[in-house]
Amino acid sequence: HQVAIVQYPSLTRSAVRHIEVLALAPNRLMLVLIADTGRVEQRILDLPQDMDESELNTLRSKLNARSVGKKLAALPEILKGFANEFAASVATNIRHVVAVILEMAIEKSEERVVVSGTSNLARHAPDFNESVHPVLEALEEQVVLLRLLGEAVDEMKVKIGHEQENKKLHSTSVITTGYGPTGDAVATLGIIGPTRMDYPTSMGAVSAVARYVSRFLQEEI
């Protein structure tokens, strides 16, 4: 019965699950990059030259052999010189493919945070030392939420009252923990509520949801 906050998995902490190369035409490809956190990026690429099915199969096979299981942030180094493994006649095409894959692997500038249950704060209004309105205002700011969630770490964090950096949240408590599909935290989730919350129950709920989401992502891989 608190406010739930969930950060979308970060591409910088994600690994490659699969790279798909689909031919839409002899000189047009669809590139699909699938991360182990379930995020999918795709692009359409027009090639300088045509590629046949045999060349595409070789490209797909070599790309995945190099990339699967590797962190997206490591792809620039992993794919350095990749075009040199191919015949000169298709090397230019390969360089274009690599450039687009690296573009897809770059973290978008905006992080996304989902908030649910803000109406629950109204039910606990008497538990707040001051008006609940400053808390609601803070929850509308993505930057504030990202700072609340912080870096994705495996251990649970509890911040109570004045331990919050933002003055608008001094009447609240925040419980957060990381989640991820392979034991490495790739993002953070948690709850926000009044300082007089039931801490054991709330911490247990946050931990249970993090385990569930992590298990779900693992099963999707």
Side-chain angles (χ1 to χ4, degrees):
H1 303 294
Q2 315 296 348
V3 178
I5 50 175
V6 181
Q7 179 185 29
Y8 272 58
S10 170
L11 282 177
T12 58
R13 292 187 286 267
S14 302
V16 178
R17 174 182 173 186
H18 184 69
I19 297 176
E20 188 55 74
V21 182
L22 303 171
L24 303 180
N27 68 337
R28 172 171 280 201
L29 303 178
M30 175 183 286
L31 302 176
V32 184
L33 175 62
I34 305 172
D36 62 350
T37 51
R39 290 186 65 159
V40 177
E41 300 286 329
Q42 66 181 40
R43 300 285 191 280
I44 303 296
L45 170 63
D46 291 319
L47 300 170
Q49 301 170 325
D50 292 355
M51 291 185 71
D52 60 35
E53 191 60 34
S54 175
E55 292 168 334
L56 288 177
N57 287 337
T58 301
L59 170 59
R60 186 183 300 110
S61 176
K62 289 189 174 184
L63 267 177
N64 283 285
R66 277 204 183 198
S67 305
V68 170
K70 302 297 193 298
K71 295 294 185 183
L72 270 67
L75 285 185
E77 185 63 29
I78 290 170
L79 296 179
K80 183 183 295 185
F82 182 65
N84 297 333
E85 298 182 15
F86 296 81
S89 58
V90 295
T92 300
N93 281 348
I94 303 304
R95 292 188 184 94
H96 280 75
V97 169
V98 169
V100 172
I101 289 174
L102 296 183
E103 176 187 305
M104 289 192 288
I106 295 174
E107 180 69 270
K108 292 179 174 61
S109 59
E110 73 278 3
E111 291 276 4
R112 294 186 62 187
V113 178
V114 177
V115 181
S116 180
T118 51
S119 60
N120 289 328
L121 294 181
R123 301 173 188 171
H124 296 287
D127 293 331
F128 291 94
N129 297 330
E130 300 176 357
S131 170
V132 74
H133 293 297
V135 179
L136 295 175
E137 291 175 358
L139 294 181
E140 292 179 355
E141 300 178 28
Q142 288 280 304
V143 173
V144 171
L145 294 175
L146 288 169
R147 287 177 179 170
L148 271 181
L149 292 168
E151 288 295 318
V153 292
D154 293 324
E155 68 268 16
M156 183 171 292
K157 291 184 176 181
V158 180
K159 290 187 177 182
I160 301 174
H162 284 69
E163 293 178 359
Q164 317 284 356
E165 294 181 8
N166 193 304
K167 293 182 179 179
K168 294 179 180 179
L169 298 174
H170 282 179
S171 60
T172 70
S173 289
V174 179
I175 302 173
T176 59
T177 191
Y179 71 89
T182 57
D184 295 326
V186 296
T188 309
L189 57 77
I191 60 171
I192 301 173
T195 55
R196 282 178 276 186
M197 70 168 67
D198 180 347
Y199 287 95
T201 300
S202 298
M203 292 170 68
V206 170
S207 180
V209 172
R211 288 196 303 271
Y212 173 79
V213 175
S214 298
R215 187 168 63 249
F216 176 79
L217 290 175
Q218 182 65 44
E219 290 172 354
E220 288 295 298
I221 293 178

